Amino acid sequence: MSDLVVVGGGLAGVEAAWQAANRGIKVDLYEMRPEKMTPAHKTSNLAELVCSNSLRASSLENAAGLLKEEMKKLGSLIMKIAERHQVPAGGAMAVDRERFAKDITETIENHENINLKREEFKNLDAEKPTIIATGPLTSQKLVNEILNFTDSKLLYFYDAAAPIVTYESINHNKVFRASRYDKGTADYLNCPMTKEEYKRFYQELINGDVVQMKDFEKQIHFEGCMPVEVMAKRGAETLTFGPLKPVGLKDPRTGEVPYAVAQLRQDDKEGNLYNLVGFQTQLKWPEQKRIFRLIPGLENAEFVRYGVMHRNTYVNSPSILKATYQLKDYPNIFLAGQITGVEGYIESASSGIVAGINASRLLIEEETLTFPEETAHGALSNYITTASPRNFQPMNINFGLLPPPEDKNKKKVPKKEKKAKQSEKALSSLENFINENSLRLA
């Protein structure tokens, strides 16, 4: 009989099972393929990469590179196998996806503490330590089970997310802080547009290149989550009555109401990240960067997340999840992977590492751990559990989630140097955390 149930054989589930099994925990790992396939998967292999074969940048001046380095220090199976099947990709890490998935499958199948069960998991037991890591295409039966343990309002089926930029990359000489009609506190950054600026932006927006959705991702566009470019095509002035409505927003520098206003709303508690309100979109990522930089104040905006609209089952983690990846009301149940609101291959895998470690500690009656916020692992778990529940959006790892490096001299530090310092601090903090809690694999 198993000590721990892990549901889902993707990157998060594989890492969670691996971490627990290497700590002597008996694991039942459920993967419904090939008994029941998803619309995206093509094989029955574990950790199948269904989109790109890239695990993104490797440099420590890139947050993805930092996250992967932390994963290595924590004994990541994904990183171990990825290095074995790496293919040329410049400064990024990419893998031969077939060999990568096949190797992981065989490694898991041959682990003495893992029992791979090729069947759909249907019944969630609050008393049984369980990690749900079923990804964005969670089966309807399991969705219904999750709904038994969470409020139905806290489970989303489509990821309609607006782009997010860093605060420091905004040109604050062109934006002003205010709330509409000066109601409450001045919580929004407002980007005023002249008629000429708006017309240019509008033309580029309606002619931008969009991502074609797959059949299983297609949806009816509800008024509340319509792609901004679709809304724009209703008429040249439609946006000025919608997300770019200027009413109640007087530019303090001119004393006048602008022709149009794009609003930015704080996205994290530290105020390092801001999202473009109402700008959920299906534009391709290079197009988003090009077109949204036409908005005054965003000429040099650094995008830490681009807008997306696709099929993605995920929970409202700030409302229901602890930074240990446990449900607040059901501590035996952990979530990991994209269902938590982390976005991307390595982010999913890293959350599986944390969930696997903490589920193991729960089983041996040790305290579950919250990773330090200055590490990439801790920054991700901190974001998904402390972001605004009203506006929660899935997130990739980025340096905007980590505390900025201390600058005692208050000098402007070059971006690369700043990121290198953040990585150095993160790895040092993780090393101390590993040593203090004896986290290295046996």
Side-chain angles (χ1 to χ4, degrees):
M1 185 175 177
S2 68
D3 303 312
L4 173 68
V5 170
V6 177
V7 188
L11 299 175
V14 163
E15 284 284 19
W18 175 258
Q19 291 288 331
N22 280 351
R23 288 172 166 79
I25 305 297
K26 297 293 184 183
V27 180
D28 279 345
L29 174 59
Y30 283 80
E31 171 51 57
M32 67 182 185
R33 293 178 293 122
E35 177 186 279
K36 182 176 181 179
M37 298 297 288
T38 76
H41 290 86
K42 305 299 181 185
T43 77
S44 61
N45 284 330
L46 303 178
E48 179 184 342
L49 304 182
V50 298
C51 297
S52 168
N53 69 328
S54 173
L55 303 183
R56 311 213 308 278
S58 296
S59 167
L60 289 178
E61 294 173 355
N62 187 290
L66 169 61
L67 183 61
K68 291 198 289 288
E69 190 62 30
E70 289 187 7
M71 290 168 66
K72 292 177 188 177
K73 290 182 177 294
L74 291 165
S76 164
L77 174 65
I78 297 300
M79 293 310 302
K80 178 182 177 181
I81 303 298
E83 289 182 333
R84 194 180 293 171
H85 300 290
Q86 195 165 353
V87 298
M93 170 179 270
V95 299
D96 179 316
R97 73 176 77 214
E98 291 186 11
R99 288 187 172 90
F100 169 79
K102 186 173 183 292
D103 197 346
I104 286 177
T105 303
E106 292 173 352
T107 302
I108 291 294
E109 287 175 337
N110 293 326
H111 199 295
E112 62 181 0
N113 287 334
I114 300 176
N115 176 28
L116 180 58
K117 300 173 78 73
R118 295 284 191 171
E119 59 186 87
E120 184 178 3
F121 182 85
K122 299 175 183 177
N123 299 307
L124 193 55
D125 182 354
E127 302 302 317
K128 176 73 174 180
T130 304
I131 299 174
I132 303 296
T134 44
L137 297 176
T138 299
S139 71
Q140 188 58 51
K141 289 180 181 178
L142 186 52
V143 164
N144 293 338
E145 281 294 292
I146 295 171
L147 290 176
N148 290 332
F149 293 85
T150 61
D151 188 318
S152 61
K153 296 177 182 178
L154 303 179
L155 188 65
Y156 301 91
F157 298 96
Y158 285 95
D159 188 354
I164 295 175
V165 300
T166 62
Y167 176 81
E168 67 177 5
S169 70
I170 299 167
N171 184 348
H172 295 275
N173 293 322
K174 293 189 176 182
V175 306
F176 62 94
R177 186 177 286 277
S179 289
R180 207 175 296 277
Y181 298 109
D182 292 324
K183 291 183 178 179
T185 55
D187 292 334
Y188 291 84
L189 293 179
N190 298 277
C191 304
M193 305 175 78
T194 65
K195 184 174 182 178
E196 292 71 24
E197 288 168 335
Y198 172 77
K199 294 297 184 185
R200 182 187 176 200
F201 170 76
Y202 172 78
Q203 287 298 324
E204 294 297 327
L205 180 64
I206 62 173
N207 292 307
D209 196 8
V210 299
V211 175
Q212 298 302 314
M213 301 180 77
K214 297 180 175 65
D215 289 342
F216 66 88
E217 293 179 320
K218 289 182 180 177
Q219 60 177 295
I220 297 172
H221 291 137
F222 297 102
E223 292 297 317
C225 71
M226 181 175 293
V228 66
E229 65 276 7
V230 173
M231 185 186 301
K233 290 177 181 178
R234 289 181 168 182
E237 301 302 318
T238 301
L239 295 182
T240 63
F241 292 90
L244 272 71
K245 180 172 66 176
V247 177
L249 292 168
K250 187 179 293 185
D251 188 337
R253 289 161 302 188
T254 65
E256 298 179 356
V257 175
Y259 188 82
V261 174
Q263 288 195 303
L264 306 176
R265 180 177 55 225
Q266 185 173 327
D267 199 75
D268 65 330
K269 67 178 182 180
E270 291 84 7
N272 296 325
L273 305 175
Y274 275 74
N275 75 67
L276 279 68
V277 179
F279 275 71
Q280 57 270 9
T281 178
Q282 289 171 209
L283 288 171
K284 292 182 178 178
W285 289 0
E287 288 288 80
Q288 291 185 43
K289 185 176 183 179
R290 179 181 69 83
I291 295 170
F292 295 153
R293 278 185 168 182
L294 295 175
I295 297 172
L298 302 185
E299 300 88 354
N300 298 304
E302 179 185 4
F303 291 82
V304 298
R305 179 198 168 93
Y306 289 102
V308 292
M309 294 194 73
H310 58 74
R311 170 76 159 82
N312 187 4
T313 302
Y314 67 99
V315 300
N316 191 322
S317 288
S319 296
I320 66 172
L321 203 64
K322 297 180 181 179
T324 56
Y325 289 94
Q326 292 167 281
L327 289 182
K328 291 177 180 178
D329 295 334
Y330 300 94
N332 284 329
I333 299 177
F334 296 75
L335 302 182
Q338 285 186 242
I339 200 166
T340 68
V342 300
E343 183 88 7
Y345 288 152
I346 57 173
E347 290 86 348
S348 295
S350 71
S351 70
I353 291 174
V354 179
I357 289 172
N358 277 327
S360 303
R361 293 178 70 87
L362 179 75
L363 282 161
I364 61 175
E365 299 183 348
E366 288 186 352
E367 183 180 1
T368 53
L369 299 172
T370 298
F371 278 60
E373 290 181 21
E374 60 266 23
T375 66
H377 282 75
L380 271 175
S381 62
N382 177 61
Y383 173 79
I384 65 169
T385 54
T386 64
S388 168
R390 290 184 60 190
N391 306 298
F392 180 57
Q393 298 178 1
M395 178 66 74
N396 289 106
I397 187 62
N398 62 82
F399 281 115
L401 299 182
L402 279 71
E406 294 182 11
D407 182 12
K408 297 178 181 179
N409 299 320
K410 303 297 181 183
K411 292 182 180 179
K412 189 171 179 63
V413 180
K415 191 178 294 185
K416 283 189 175 182
E417 183 180 334
K418 176 183 174 182
K419 291 177 177 178
K421 286 183 177 180
Q422 285 178 292
S423 286
E424 181 181 355
K425 183 177 180 180
L427 293 173
S428 175
S429 177
L430 182 65
E431 192 70 33
N432 291 335
F433 185 73
I434 288 171
N435 291 333
E436 290 169 1
N437 296 286
S438 303
L439 291 184
R440 284 195 175 87
L441 294 179

